[in-house]
Structure formats: structure tokens, C-alpha cells
Amino acid sequence: MKISEILKNKATISFEVFPPKNKEGDISSIYYTIDELAKLKPDFISVTYGAGGSTKGKTVEIASKIKNDYHIEAVAHLTCISSTKEEVIDICQQLKENNIENILSLRGDYPKDPSFDKDHLEFQYAKDLNKLITETFPGDFCLSGACYPEVHQEAACFEDDLKALKEKVEAGAQYLITQIFFDNNYYYRLVKEARKRGINVPILAGIMPITNSKSLLHTAKMCGCSIPYQLSTMIESYYRYPSAMKEIGINYATHQIIDLITNGVDGIHIYTMNKPEIAQAIFKNIPTVLKELNHE
């Protein structure tokens, strides 16, 4: 089923996983993660594409397993910045052959290779990828896109970012998933201003439970998101205590999710970092709230 169809009837709960990175190319460890996440009955699980498409073959394999063996809807990430049209069409054909109907369409980060030529690319933006997929595979895929509550780092201002987001939706994105944020007010602002500009597709809130201080600082810098004073103070007080930091991360994400659900969020998308026990702990914290979304 296409995620856009699910979103017509309810807010969703979903997870993101990524192909394990190891020299041997063994991805078997991901199946324990999926086993555990499946017990939480998510509406879908998304699978990342890897930096520069480095794990793209594994993305198709894992998404296929989720869809065809676990019988959970799978969303395959697909980046385009360093791809050719032929490569994208080939990946989409593989997804179609594996009954995958959902794609998270992304531009992706520029490769760090200094020889990478930014001036001669077949795709400049995710909207270009959307256009190719919708023209080549009409009606076969439900496309989604990324959005940034605190403004994309390459955007000159919030208004320019919203303009680009609208173009992405007009090119075929049927729902959006936010980059991580730790202050829900940024999400509410994004939704409010998007609606004013005619961006009316569902906007799912991307939540990442941060369980250690180093990963929080790294993630915040990488994603361009701010750290609220309350969270910063807790980190400063407990960064030397791993157990306390884990508890803080789980509880902070829990409170974010409760607030979002209370205020009518379109969906919650949890970036699990392949740690199912974190998602399980959050679900254990809010069983009654999740019933509001028909997730017991």
C-alpha cells in the first residue's frame, strides 16, 4: 500500500533504519533490528540509501525483506546528486520488481571527493528526481520528500526554503518527513507557514532520541538544528553518566512525541539509529497516547 493512502485515514508511526556498514558487506544484523521494530506494529519502515548512494544495493534488499517477509510497508530512500538517469531508472525498476511502492526522494549530500563536478550533474534537486520518476513510472510509486523545520543549511532564508519545498511537492512529493528537531515550536511554525503557501500534504515529524552527548552535538551540527536550553542543561549535568544520558534522551523524545500527538501531528517518524530498544522504551512510556493513533 502507498503511504499516502494510509495517511488519508490516520496519523502514522514509523521508523528509519540504515544498512549496516562493515567490510564484509554482511547486513544480517539489521534483521534483528527489524524483528524487534516489527513487534511495535509500525505503519512503515524506511531504509536509508547511504552517503553518496554507497549502500544503494542493500537498501533495495532490506526494503524488499521488510515488505515481502515482514509484511510491513517499506519506504526506500533514493538520492540523486551523484547518479545518472539510467542508474535511477534501474533502481526504481528493482524496487518495482520487489513490490516496493514508496520512495523517499532526496537530493543527497555532495560527495567529499574534491574531483566531484558540481557543474555537470543530471540532477540538481530532489524535484528533478521526482519529475523523472513520475514521468518514467506513472502511478507506480508514492513519493515523499524531506523538509527542514529550522531551514535547510543551503537556503538563504526561511521563505526561500518554503518556496523550494513547494516546488518539491508540485513535482510529486505526496507527503514530507522533517529533519530532526528538538524544539517542537519549529515544527509547528513549519506546518503553519507551509499551509499558508498552499503546501497541503501531510508533514511527518522526524524524531531522533539522542542517548549520548557526543552524538547529540555531532547530529545538531550536521543537521543544522538547535539544542534547547533545557536539553543543553541536562547534557551539561549528566554527560559523564551514560545511563543517565540514555534515560534523558528517551524521556526527552517521549515528551516531544506526546506534545506532537496532542497537537494533531500528521505522523511520527523515529530515527532509530538501528537501536530498537530505544523505540521500544518510548512506546512503553506512552501506551495510552499511542492508542489515540490506533497503535496499541
Side-chain angles (χ1 to χ4, degrees), residues 2 59-61 63-64 67-68 74-76 78 87-103 133-143:
K2 293 176 180 176
T59 298
V60 174
E61 181 180 342
S64 177
K67 169 71 174 182
N68 299 306
V75 176
L78 180 55
E87 288 172 337
V88 166
I89 290 172
D90 178 61
I91 290 291
C92 288
Q93 188 60 48
Q94 291 181 46
L95 293 171
K96 186 177 177 180
E97 291 170 357
N98 284 276
N99 303 315
I100 309 299
E101 299 179 90
N102 301 286
I103 294 174
I133 295 173
T134 55
E135 289 179 351
T136 309
F137 301 90
D140 288 339
F141 296 106
C142 169
L143 301 180

PDB file of all heavy atoms in Angstrom, residues 2 59-61 63-64 67-68 74-76 78 87-103 133-143:
ATOM      1  N   LYS A   2       0.418   2.279  -0.661  1.00  0.00           N
ATOM      2  CA  LYS A   2       1.149   3.542  -0.696  1.00  0.00           C
ATOM      3  C   LYS A   2       0.905   4.302   0.608  1.00  0.00           C
ATOM      4  O   LYS A   2      -0.196   4.323   1.135  1.00  0.00           O
ATOM      5  CB  LYS A   2       0.706   4.356  -1.909  1.00  0.00           C
ATOM      6  CG  LYS A   2       1.120   3.699  -3.227  1.00  0.00           C
ATOM      7  CD  LYS A   2       0.607   4.457  -4.432  1.00  0.00           C
ATOM      8  CE  LYS A   2       1.070   3.746  -5.713  1.00  0.00           C
ATOM      9  NZ  LYS A   2       0.516   4.376  -6.929  1.00  0.00           N
ATOM     10  N   THR A  59      19.927  -1.207   0.240  1.00  0.00           N
ATOM     11  CA  THR A  59      18.646  -0.554   0.502  1.00  0.00           C
ATOM     12  C   THR A  59      17.511  -1.329  -0.144  1.00  0.00           C
ATOM     13  O   THR A  59      16.480  -1.594   0.481  1.00  0.00           O
ATOM     14  CB  THR A  59      18.655   0.893  -0.026  1.00  0.00           C
ATOM     15  OG1 THR A  59      19.667   1.632   0.663  1.00  0.00           O
ATOM     16  CG2 THR A  59      17.302   1.565   0.182  1.00  0.00           C
ATOM     17  N   VAL A  60      17.688  -1.716  -1.390  1.00  0.00           N
ATOM     18  CA  VAL A  60      16.660  -2.479  -2.095  1.00  0.00           C
ATOM     19  C   VAL A  60      16.445  -3.826  -1.412  1.00  0.00           C
ATOM     20  O   VAL A  60      15.308  -4.256  -1.193  1.00  0.00           O
ATOM     21  CB  VAL A  60      17.042  -2.691  -3.570  1.00  0.00           C
ATOM     22  CG1 VAL A  60      16.038  -3.606  -4.262  1.00  0.00           C
ATOM     23  CG2 VAL A  60      17.119  -1.350  -4.300  1.00  0.00           C
ATOM     24  N   GLU A  61      17.523  -4.493  -1.054  1.00  0.00           N
ATOM     25  CA  GLU A  61      17.434  -5.811  -0.418  1.00  0.00           C
ATOM     26  C   GLU A  61      16.689  -5.742   0.914  1.00  0.00           C
ATOM     27  O   GLU A  61      15.794  -6.552   1.191  1.00  0.00           O
ATOM     28  CB  GLU A  61      18.844  -6.360  -0.199  1.00  0.00           C
ATOM     29  CG  GLU A  61      18.875  -7.742   0.433  1.00  0.00           C
ATOM     30  CD  GLU A  61      20.289  -8.270   0.638  1.00  0.00           C
ATOM     31  OE1 GLU A  61      21.224  -7.733   0.003  1.00  0.00           O
ATOM     32  OE2 GLU A  61      20.447  -9.201   1.449  1.00  0.00           O
ATOM     33  N   ALA A  63      14.685  -3.243   2.035  1.00  0.00           N
ATOM     34  CA  ALA A  63      13.301  -2.797   1.823  1.00  0.00           C
ATOM     35  C   ALA A  63      12.432  -3.949   1.337  1.00  0.00           C
ATOM     36  O   ALA A  63      11.280  -4.093   1.753  1.00  0.00           O
ATOM     37  CB  ALA A  63      13.273  -1.642   0.823  1.00  0.00           C
ATOM     38  N   SER A  64      12.989  -4.786   0.479  1.00  0.00           N
ATOM     39  CA  SER A  64      12.253  -5.937  -0.026  1.00  0.00           C
ATOM     40  C   SER A  64      11.925  -6.907   1.109  1.00  0.00           C
ATOM     41  O   SER A  64      10.818  -7.455   1.189  1.00  0.00           O
ATOM     42  CB  SER A  64      13.057  -6.658  -1.108  1.00  0.00           C
ATOM     43  OG  SER A  64      12.383  -7.809  -1.547  1.00  0.00           O
ATOM     44  N   LYS A  67       9.087  -5.491   3.248  1.00  0.00           N
ATOM     45  CA  LYS A  67       7.801  -5.545   2.557  1.00  0.00           C
ATOM     46  C   LYS A  67       7.312  -6.978   2.371  1.00  0.00           C
ATOM     47  O   LYS A  67       6.154  -7.293   2.668  1.00  0.00           O
ATOM     48  CB  LYS A  67       7.941  -4.858   1.196  1.00  0.00           C
ATOM     49  CG  LYS A  67       6.775  -5.058   0.237  1.00  0.00           C
ATOM     50  CD  LYS A  67       5.534  -4.322   0.665  1.00  0.00           C
ATOM     51  CE  LYS A  67       4.447  -4.430  -0.393  1.00  0.00           C
ATOM     52  NZ  LYS A  67       3.235  -3.676  -0.039  1.00  0.00           N
ATOM     53  N   ASN A  68       8.170  -7.837   1.876  1.00  0.00           N
ATOM     54  CA  ASN A  68       7.720  -9.149   1.432  1.00  0.00           C
ATOM     55  C   ASN A  68       7.814 -10.249   2.484  1.00  0.00           C
ATOM     56  O   ASN A  68       7.070 -11.232   2.409  1.00  0.00           O
ATOM     57  CB  ASN A  68       8.513  -9.557   0.186  1.00  0.00           C
ATOM     58  CG  ASN A  68       8.291  -8.587  -0.963  1.00  0.00           C
ATOM     59  OD1 ASN A  68       7.166  -8.315  -1.350  1.00  0.00           O
ATOM     60  ND2 ASN A  68       9.374  -8.028  -1.494  1.00  0.00           N
ATOM     61  N   ALA A  74       7.372  -0.675   3.218  1.00  0.00           N
ATOM     62  CA  ALA A  74       8.756  -0.197   3.197  1.00  0.00           C
ATOM     63  C   ALA A  74       8.854   1.058   2.348  1.00  0.00           C
ATOM     64  O   ALA A  74       8.221   1.163   1.293  1.00  0.00           O
ATOM     65  CB  ALA A  74       9.678  -1.276   2.640  1.00  0.00           C
ATOM     66  N   VAL A  75       9.646   2.008   2.819  1.00  0.00           N
ATOM     67  CA  VAL A  75       9.947   3.217   2.055  1.00  0.00           C
ATOM     68  C   VAL A  75      11.446   3.210   1.772  1.00  0.00           C
ATOM     69  O   VAL A  75      12.256   3.217   2.705  1.00  0.00           O
ATOM     70  CB  VAL A  75       9.564   4.489   2.832  1.00  0.00           C
ATOM     71  CG1 VAL A  75       9.992   5.730   2.054  1.00  0.00           C
ATOM     72  CG2 VAL A  75       8.068   4.516   3.100  1.00  0.00           C
ATOM     73  N   ALA A  76      11.809   3.173   0.514  1.00  0.00           N
ATOM     74  CA  ALA A  76      13.212   3.150   0.128  1.00  0.00           C
ATOM     75  C   ALA A  76      13.709   4.576  -0.126  1.00  0.00           C
ATOM     76  O   ALA A  76      13.124   5.310  -0.919  1.00  0.00           O
ATOM     77  CB  ALA A  76      13.407   2.316  -1.132  1.00  0.00           C
ATOM     78  N   LEU A  78      16.070   7.269  -1.802  1.00  0.00           N
ATOM     79  CA  LEU A  78      16.751   7.315  -3.096  1.00  0.00           C
ATOM     80  C   LEU A  78      17.337   8.707  -3.277  1.00  0.00           C
ATOM     81  O   LEU A  78      16.605   9.694  -3.343  1.00  0.00           O
ATOM     82  CB  LEU A  78      15.763   6.999  -4.227  1.00  0.00           C
ATOM     83  CG  LEU A  78      16.313   7.002  -5.660  1.00  0.00           C
ATOM     84  CD1 LEU A  78      17.500   6.061  -5.799  1.00  0.00           C
ATOM     85  CD2 LEU A  78      15.221   6.631  -6.655  1.00  0.00           C
ATOM     86  N   GLU A  87      20.855   5.095 -13.906  1.00  0.00           N
ATOM     87  CA  GLU A  87      21.011   4.439 -12.605  1.00  0.00           C
ATOM     88  C   GLU A  87      19.732   4.553 -11.773  1.00  0.00           C
ATOM     89  O   GLU A  87      19.307   3.589 -11.125  1.00  0.00           O
ATOM     90  CB  GLU A  87      22.189   5.064 -11.845  1.00  0.00           C
ATOM     91  CG  GLU A  87      23.538   4.695 -12.424  1.00  0.00           C
ATOM     92  CD  GLU A  87      24.675   5.477 -11.792  1.00  0.00           C
ATOM     93  OE1 GLU A  87      24.433   6.572 -11.253  1.00  0.00           O
ATOM     94  OE2 GLU A  87      25.833   4.999 -11.857  1.00  0.00           O
ATOM     95  N   VAL A  88      19.122   5.721 -11.794  1.00  0.00           N
ATOM     96  CA  VAL A  88      17.883   5.929 -11.039  1.00  0.00           C
ATOM     97  C   VAL A  88      16.772   5.039 -11.580  1.00  0.00           C
ATOM     98  O   VAL A  88      16.043   4.395 -10.818  1.00  0.00           O
ATOM     99  CB  VAL A  88      17.459   7.408 -11.086  1.00  0.00           C
ATOM    100  CG1 VAL A  88      16.017   7.575 -10.600  1.00  0.00           C
ATOM    101  CG2 VAL A  88      18.405   8.254 -10.255  1.00  0.00           C
ATOM    102  N   ILE A  89      16.652   4.988 -12.887  1.00  0.00           N
ATOM    103  CA  ILE A  89      15.612   4.151 -13.502  1.00  0.00           C
ATOM    104  C   ILE A  89      15.833   2.691 -13.149  1.00  0.00           C
ATOM    105  O   ILE A  89      14.877   1.947 -12.863  1.00  0.00           O
ATOM    106  CB  ILE A  89      15.588   4.363 -15.023  1.00  0.00           C
ATOM    107  CG1 ILE A  89      15.051   5.764 -15.341  1.00  0.00           C
ATOM    108  CG2 ILE A  89      14.728   3.299 -15.713  1.00  0.00           C
ATOM    109  CD1 ILE A  89      15.170   6.164 -16.798  1.00  0.00           C
ATOM    110  N   ASP A  90      17.088   2.264 -13.127  1.00  0.00           N
ATOM    111  CA  ASP A  90      17.406   0.873 -12.781  1.00  0.00           C
ATOM    112  C   ASP A  90      17.004   0.565 -11.342  1.00  0.00           C
ATOM    113  O   ASP A  90      16.397  -0.486 -11.070  1.00  0.00           O
ATOM    114  CB  ASP A  90      18.898   0.618 -12.973  1.00  0.00           C
ATOM    115  CG  ASP A  90      19.294  -0.803 -12.593  1.00  0.00           C
ATOM    116  OD1 ASP A  90      18.786  -1.757 -13.219  1.00  0.00           O
ATOM    117  OD2 ASP A  90      20.087  -0.971 -11.642  1.00  0.00           O
ATOM    118  N   ILE A  91      17.316   1.480 -10.411  1.00  0.00           N
ATOM    119  CA  ILE A  91      16.937   1.271  -9.011  1.00  0.00           C
ATOM    120  C   ILE A  91      15.420   1.218  -8.873  1.00  0.00           C
ATOM    121  O   ILE A  91      14.868   0.356  -8.177  1.00  0.00           O
ATOM    122  CB  ILE A  91      17.510   2.389  -8.122  1.00  0.00           C
ATOM    123  CG1 ILE A  91      19.032   2.271  -8.007  1.00  0.00           C
ATOM    124  CG2 ILE A  91      16.873   2.345  -6.731  1.00  0.00           C
ATOM    125  CD1 ILE A  91      19.509   1.067  -7.221  1.00  0.00           C
ATOM    126  N   CYS A  92      14.740   2.119  -9.548  1.00  0.00           N
ATOM    127  CA  CYS A  92      13.266   2.138  -9.471  1.00  0.00           C
ATOM    128  C   CYS A  92      12.673   0.854 -10.034  1.00  0.00           C
ATOM    129  O   CYS A  92      11.682   0.331  -9.508  1.00  0.00           O
ATOM    130  CB  CYS A  92      12.720   3.345 -10.221  1.00  0.00           C
ATOM    131  SG  CYS A  92      13.017   4.919  -9.405  1.00  0.00           S
ATOM    132  N   GLN A  93      13.275   0.334 -11.087  1.00  0.00           N
ATOM    133  CA  GLN A  93      12.795  -0.916 -11.662  1.00  0.00           C
ATOM    134  C   GLN A  93      12.980  -2.070 -10.674  1.00  0.00           C
ATOM    135  O   GLN A  93      12.090  -2.922 -10.523  1.00  0.00           O
ATOM    136  CB  GLN A  93      13.540  -1.220 -12.971  1.00  0.00           C
ATOM    137  CG  GLN A  93      12.984  -2.392 -13.757  1.00  0.00           C
ATOM    138  CD  GLN A  93      11.538  -2.192 -14.175  1.00  0.00           C
ATOM    139  OE1 GLN A  93      11.186  -1.128 -14.701  1.00  0.00           O
ATOM    140  NE2 GLN A  93      10.685  -3.186 -13.941  1.00  0.00           N
ATOM    141  N   GLN A  94      14.129  -2.065  -9.969  1.00  0.00           N
ATOM    142  CA  GLN A  94      14.361  -3.093  -8.950  1.00  0.00           C
ATOM    143  C   GLN A  94      13.319  -2.986  -7.831  1.00  0.00           C
ATOM    144  O   GLN A  94      12.801  -4.004  -7.347  1.00  0.00           O
ATOM    145  CB  GLN A  94      15.756  -2.933  -8.354  1.00  0.00           C
ATOM    146  CG  GLN A  94      16.896  -3.271  -9.302  1.00  0.00           C
ATOM    147  CD  GLN A  94      18.247  -3.111  -8.618  1.00  0.00           C
ATOM    148  OE1 GLN A  94      18.447  -3.567  -7.490  1.00  0.00           O
ATOM    149  NE2 GLN A  94      19.167  -2.449  -9.285  1.00  0.00           N
ATOM    150  N   LEU A  95      13.024  -1.762  -7.412  1.00  0.00           N
ATOM    151  CA  LEU A  95      12.023  -1.560  -6.365  1.00  0.00           C
ATOM    152  C   LEU A  95      10.663  -2.065  -6.823  1.00  0.00           C
ATOM    153  O   LEU A  95       9.950  -2.746  -6.073  1.00  0.00           O
ATOM    154  CB  LEU A  95      11.950  -0.083  -5.984  1.00  0.00           C
ATOM    155  CG  LEU A  95      13.182   0.493  -5.282  1.00  0.00           C
ATOM    156  CD1 LEU A  95      13.067   2.008  -5.149  1.00  0.00           C
ATOM    157  CD2 LEU A  95      13.372  -0.140  -3.908  1.00  0.00           C
ATOM    158  N   LYS A  96      10.309  -1.744  -8.039  1.00  0.00           N
ATOM    159  CA  LYS A  96       9.025  -2.184  -8.586  1.00  0.00           C
ATOM    160  C   LYS A  96       8.934  -3.698  -8.626  1.00  0.00           C
ATOM    161  O   LYS A  96       7.904  -4.289  -8.280  1.00  0.00           O
ATOM    162  CB  LYS A  96       8.837  -1.587  -9.980  1.00  0.00           C
ATOM    163  CG  LYS A  96       7.471  -1.861 -10.593  1.00  0.00           C
ATOM    164  CD  LYS A  96       7.332  -1.172 -11.939  1.00  0.00           C
ATOM    165  CE  LYS A  96       5.992  -1.498 -12.594  1.00  0.00           C
ATOM    166  NZ  LYS A  96       5.843  -0.837 -13.915  1.00  0.00           N
ATOM    167  N   GLU A  97      10.012  -4.353  -9.033  1.00  0.00           N
ATOM    168  CA  GLU A  97      10.033  -5.810  -9.112  1.00  0.00           C
ATOM    169  C   GLU A  97       9.913  -6.453  -7.735  1.00  0.00           C
ATOM    170  O   GLU A  97       9.504  -7.612  -7.618  1.00  0.00           O
ATOM    171  CB  GLU A  97      11.326  -6.274  -9.799  1.00  0.00           C
ATOM    172  CG  GLU A  97      11.371  -5.931 -11.286  1.00  0.00           C
ATOM    173  CD  GLU A  97      12.735  -6.157 -11.910  1.00  0.00           C
ATOM    174  OE1 GLU A  97      13.676  -6.539 -11.161  1.00  0.00           O
ATOM    175  OE2 GLU A  97      12.879  -5.945 -13.131  1.00  0.00           O
ATOM    176  N   ASN A  98      10.294  -5.701  -6.693  1.00  0.00           N
ATOM    177  CA  ASN A  98      10.208  -6.218  -5.322  1.00  0.00           C
ATOM    178  C   ASN A  98       8.976  -5.708  -4.577  1.00  0.00           C
ATOM    179  O   ASN A  98       8.914  -5.796  -3.347  1.00  0.00           O
ATOM    180  CB  ASN A  98      11.481  -5.846  -4.549  1.00  0.00           C
ATOM    181  CG  ASN A  98      12.663  -6.714  -4.929  1.00  0.00           C
ATOM    182  OD1 ASN A  98      12.826  -7.817  -4.400  1.00  0.00           O
ATOM    183  ND2 ASN A  98      13.490  -6.238  -5.858  1.00  0.00           N
ATOM    184  N   ASN A  99       8.010  -5.194  -5.329  1.00  0.00           N
ATOM    185  CA  ASN A  99       6.730  -4.745  -4.764  1.00  0.00           C
ATOM    186  C   ASN A  99       6.850  -3.541  -3.841  1.00  0.00           C
ATOM    187  O   ASN A  99       5.982  -3.311  -2.997  1.00  0.00           O
ATOM    188  CB  ASN A  99       6.038  -5.889  -4.001  1.00  0.00           C
ATOM    189  CG  ASN A  99       5.818  -7.107  -4.862  1.00  0.00           C
ATOM    190  OD1 ASN A  99       5.371  -6.994  -6.002  1.00  0.00           O
ATOM    191  ND2 ASN A  99       6.153  -8.277  -4.341  1.00  0.00           N
ATOM    192  N   ILE A 100       7.915  -2.770  -3.992  1.00  0.00           N
ATOM    193  CA  ILE A 100       8.089  -1.553  -3.198  1.00  0.00           C
ATOM    194  C   ILE A 100       7.390  -0.410  -3.911  1.00  0.00           C
ATOM    195  O   ILE A 100       7.717  -0.080  -5.044  1.00  0.00           O
ATOM    196  CB  ILE A 100       9.585  -1.204  -3.007  1.00  0.00           C
ATOM    197  CG1 ILE A 100      10.381  -2.402  -2.490  1.00  0.00           C
ATOM    198  CG2 ILE A 100       9.720   0.003  -2.077  1.00  0.00           C
ATOM    199  CD1 ILE A 100       9.943  -2.917  -1.165  1.00  0.00           C
ATOM    200  N   GLU A 101       6.434   0.207  -3.225  1.00  0.00           N
ATOM    201  CA  GLU A 101       5.625   1.265  -3.838  1.00  0.00           C
ATOM    202  C   GLU A 101       5.950   2.662  -3.315  1.00  0.00           C
ATOM    203  O   GLU A 101       5.354   3.642  -3.768  1.00  0.00           O
ATOM    204  CB  GLU A 101       4.136   0.998  -3.584  1.00  0.00           C
ATOM    205  CG  GLU A 101       3.604  -0.299  -4.151  1.00  0.00           C
ATOM    206  CD  GLU A 101       2.140  -0.468  -3.830  1.00  0.00           C
ATOM    207  OE1 GLU A 101       1.304  -0.014  -4.627  1.00  0.00           O
ATOM    208  OE2 GLU A 101       1.842  -1.046  -2.768  1.00  0.00           O
ATOM    209  N   ASN A 102       6.896   2.749  -2.376  1.00  0.00           N
ATOM    210  CA  ASN A 102       7.139   4.021  -1.708  1.00  0.00           C
ATOM    211  C   ASN A 102       8.616   4.401  -1.746  1.00  0.00           C
ATOM    212  O   ASN A 102       9.489   3.594  -1.413  1.00  0.00           O
ATOM    213  CB  ASN A 102       6.673   3.930  -0.254  1.00  0.00           C
ATOM    214  CG  ASN A 102       5.192   3.596  -0.160  1.00  0.00           C
ATOM    215  OD1 ASN A 102       4.343   4.426  -0.424  1.00  0.00           O
ATOM    216  ND2 ASN A 102       4.887   2.341   0.198  1.00  0.00           N
ATOM    217  N   ILE A 103       8.879   5.644  -2.148  1.00  0.00           N
ATOM    218  CA  ILE A 103      10.238   6.153  -2.262  1.00  0.00           C
ATOM    219  C   ILE A 103      10.338   7.495  -1.550  1.00  0.00           C
ATOM    220  O   ILE A 103       9.496   8.376  -1.741  1.00  0.00           O
ATOM    221  CB  ILE A 103      10.648   6.345  -3.745  1.00  0.00           C
ATOM    222  CG1 ILE A 103      10.726   4.997  -4.461  1.00  0.00           C
ATOM    223  CG2 ILE A 103      11.972   7.088  -3.852  1.00  0.00           C
ATOM    224  CD1 ILE A 103      10.985   5.119  -5.965  1.00  0.00           C
ATOM    225  N   ILE A 133      10.937  10.199 -12.030  1.00  0.00           N
ATOM    226  CA  ILE A 133      10.223   9.007 -11.561  1.00  0.00           C
ATOM    227  C   ILE A 133       8.758   9.045 -11.983  1.00  0.00           C
ATOM    228  O   ILE A 133       8.211   8.044 -12.465  1.00  0.00           O
ATOM    229  CB  ILE A 133      10.343   8.863 -10.031  1.00  0.00           C
ATOM    230  CG1 ILE A 133      11.812   8.608  -9.638  1.00  0.00           C
ATOM    231  CG2 ILE A 133       9.471   7.709  -9.524  1.00  0.00           C
ATOM    232  CD1 ILE A 133      12.058   8.619  -8.139  1.00  0.00           C
ATOM    233  N   THR A 134       8.115  10.193 -11.816  1.00  0.00           N
ATOM    234  CA  THR A 134       6.694  10.277 -12.165  1.00  0.00           C
ATOM    235  C   THR A 134       6.459  10.149 -13.668  1.00  0.00           C
ATOM    236  O   THR A 134       5.436   9.615 -14.092  1.00  0.00           O
ATOM    237  CB  THR A 134       6.084  11.598 -11.667  1.00  0.00           C
ATOM    238  OG1 THR A 134       6.845  12.708 -12.165  1.00  0.00           O
ATOM    239  CG2 THR A 134       6.078  11.646 -10.148  1.00  0.00           C
ATOM    240  N   GLU A 135       7.416  10.612 -14.461  1.00  0.00           N
ATOM    241  CA  GLU A 135       7.276  10.505 -15.913  1.00  0.00           C
ATOM    242  C   GLU A 135       7.597   9.097 -16.413  1.00  0.00           C
ATOM    243  O   GLU A 135       6.968   8.600 -17.352  1.00  0.00           O
ATOM    244  CB  GLU A 135       8.192  11.516 -16.604  1.00  0.00           C
ATOM    245  CG  GLU A 135       7.744  12.964 -16.449  1.00  0.00           C
ATOM    246  CD  GLU A 135       8.684  13.947 -17.124  1.00  0.00           C
ATOM    247  OE1 GLU A 135       9.784  13.515 -17.562  1.00  0.00           O
ATOM    248  OE2 GLU A 135       8.337  15.139 -17.202  1.00  0.00           O
ATOM    249  N   THR A 136       8.570   8.444 -15.775  1.00  0.00           N
ATOM    250  CA  THR A 136       9.017   7.119 -16.230  1.00  0.00           C
ATOM    251  C   THR A 136       8.148   6.001 -15.662  1.00  0.00           C
ATOM    252  O   THR A 136       7.928   4.976 -16.325  1.00  0.00           O
ATOM    253  CB  THR A 136      10.485   6.886 -15.829  1.00  0.00           C
ATOM    254  OG1 THR A 136      11.287   8.002 -16.245  1.00  0.00           O
ATOM    255  CG2 THR A 136      11.030   5.615 -16.479  1.00  0.00           C
ATOM    256  N   PHE A 137       7.658   6.204 -14.429  1.00  0.00           N
ATOM    257  CA  PHE A 137       6.848   5.181 -13.752  1.00  0.00           C
ATOM    258  C   PHE A 137       5.531   5.801 -13.279  1.00  0.00           C
ATOM    259  O   PHE A 137       5.267   5.873 -12.071  1.00  0.00           O
ATOM    260  CB  PHE A 137       7.610   4.589 -12.571  1.00  0.00           C
ATOM    261  CG  PHE A 137       8.914   3.937 -12.917  1.00  0.00           C
ATOM    262  CD1 PHE A 137      10.100   4.673 -12.921  1.00  0.00           C
ATOM    263  CD2 PHE A 137       8.960   2.592 -13.253  1.00  0.00           C
ATOM    264  CE1 PHE A 137      11.310   4.072 -13.240  1.00  0.00           C
ATOM    265  CE2 PHE A 137      10.177   1.980 -13.576  1.00  0.00           C
ATOM    266  CZ  PHE A 137      11.352   2.720 -13.577  1.00  0.00           C
ATOM    267  N   PRO A 138       4.705   6.272 -14.188  1.00  0.00           N
ATOM    268  CA  PRO A 138       3.482   6.978 -13.782  1.00  0.00           C
ATOM    269  C   PRO A 138       2.560   6.109 -12.921  1.00  0.00           C
ATOM    270  O   PRO A 138       2.167   5.021 -13.323  1.00  0.00           O
ATOM    271  CB  PRO A 138       2.826   7.340 -15.118  1.00  0.00           C
ATOM    272  CG  PRO A 138       3.410   6.385 -16.112  1.00  0.00           C
ATOM    273  CD  PRO A 138       4.806   6.125 -15.654  1.00  0.00           C
ATOM    274  N   GLY A 139       2.285   6.592 -11.714  1.00  0.00           N
ATOM    275  CA  GLY A 139       1.368   5.892 -10.818  1.00  0.00           C
ATOM    276  C   GLY A 139       1.951   4.725 -10.055  1.00  0.00           C
ATOM    277  O   GLY A 139       1.274   4.129  -9.209  1.00  0.00           O
ATOM    278  N   ASP A 140       3.217   4.386 -10.310  1.00  0.00           N
ATOM    279  CA  ASP A 140       3.799   3.201  -9.662  1.00  0.00           C
ATOM    280  C   ASP A 140       4.278   3.463  -8.242  1.00  0.00           C
ATOM    281  O   ASP A 140       4.321   2.539  -7.419  1.00  0.00           O
ATOM    282  CB  ASP A 140       4.969   2.668 -10.492  1.00  0.00           C
ATOM    283  CG  ASP A 140       4.513   1.996 -11.774  1.00  0.00           C
ATOM    284  OD1 ASP A 140       3.331   1.593 -11.837  1.00  0.00           O
ATOM    285  OD2 ASP A 140       5.324   1.874 -12.716  1.00  0.00           O
ATOM    286  N   PHE A 141       4.698   4.699  -7.971  1.00  0.00           N
ATOM    287  CA  PHE A 141       5.307   4.989  -6.676  1.00  0.00           C
ATOM    288  C   PHE A 141       4.628   6.166  -5.982  1.00  0.00           C
ATOM    289  O   PHE A 141       4.180   7.111  -6.615  1.00  0.00           O
ATOM    290  CB  PHE A 141       6.798   5.328  -6.833  1.00  0.00           C
ATOM    291  CG  PHE A 141       7.626   4.190  -7.368  1.00  0.00           C
ATOM    292  CD1 PHE A 141       8.084   4.200  -8.682  1.00  0.00           C
ATOM    293  CD2 PHE A 141       7.948   3.111  -6.561  1.00  0.00           C
ATOM    294  CE1 PHE A 141       8.846   3.155  -9.184  1.00  0.00           C
ATOM    295  CE2 PHE A 141       8.710   2.062  -7.049  1.00  0.00           C
ATOM    296  CZ  PHE A 141       9.163   2.081  -8.365  1.00  0.00           C
ATOM    297  N   CYS A 142       4.590   6.083  -4.647  1.00  0.00           N
ATOM    298  CA  CYS A 142       4.238   7.215  -3.810  1.00  0.00           C
ATOM    299  C   CYS A 142       5.554   7.867  -3.396  1.00  0.00           C
ATOM    300  O   CYS A 142       6.373   7.240  -2.719  1.00  0.00           O
ATOM    301  CB  CYS A 142       3.459   6.761  -2.577  1.00  0.00           C
ATOM    302  SG  CYS A 142       3.253   8.039  -1.329  1.00  0.00           S
ATOM    303  N   LEU A 143       5.760   9.106  -3.812  1.00  0.00           N
ATOM    304  CA  LEU A 143       6.994   9.812  -3.497  1.00  0.00           C
ATOM    305  C   LEU A 143       6.812  10.680  -2.258  1.00  0.00           C
ATOM    306  O   LEU A 143       5.756  11.273  -2.042  1.00  0.00           O
ATOM    307  CB  LEU A 143       7.414  10.702  -4.672  1.00  0.00           C
ATOM    308  CG  LEU A 143       7.656  10.004  -6.010  1.00  0.00           C
ATOM    309  CD1 LEU A 143       8.071  11.026  -7.063  1.00  0.00           C
ATOM    310  CD2 LEU A 143       8.702   8.912  -5.883  1.00  0.00           C
TER     311      LEU A 143
END
